Amino acid sequence: MLLPTDGLWRGAMNAFQDPTALMQMGPEGGFPFLSDAALTPAYLAWAAVWVAVILGLTALSFQRRDV
């Protein structure tokens, strides 16, 4: 949950997939490249906060270096 890459991957696959692909796979699914749910706004907010924190830490790290 700390690193939002898996959720973002599933959201991207949900956006790119053909809706009939899920119906063909059946209710069990089991195929890791299909996702039946889109990303929630809360998850997108968490991913945006995570990226902002990482960029802030990176900027702080480079600010303290003698380049």
Side-chain angles (χ1 to χ4, degrees):
M1 289 306 291
L2 293 178
L3 188 64
T5 55
D6 182 56
L8 292 175
W9 169 261
R10 292 182 186 275
M13 289 299 101
N14 179 271
F16 288 126
Q17 73 192 9
D18 183 17
T20 59
L22 283 174
M23 290 187 289
Q24 289 175 352
M25 295 302 268
E28 296 88 29
F31 192 64
F33 300 111
L34 296 178
S35 177
D36 58 347
L39 293 176
T40 63
Y43 194 85
L44 288 174
W46 166 243
V49 167
W50 186 86
V51 169
V53 166
I54 295 301
L55 288 176
L57 290 173
T58 303
L60 182 65
S61 174
F62 276 113
Q63 184 180 18
R64 294 179 181 217
R65 289 182 185 231
D66 197 19
V67 183

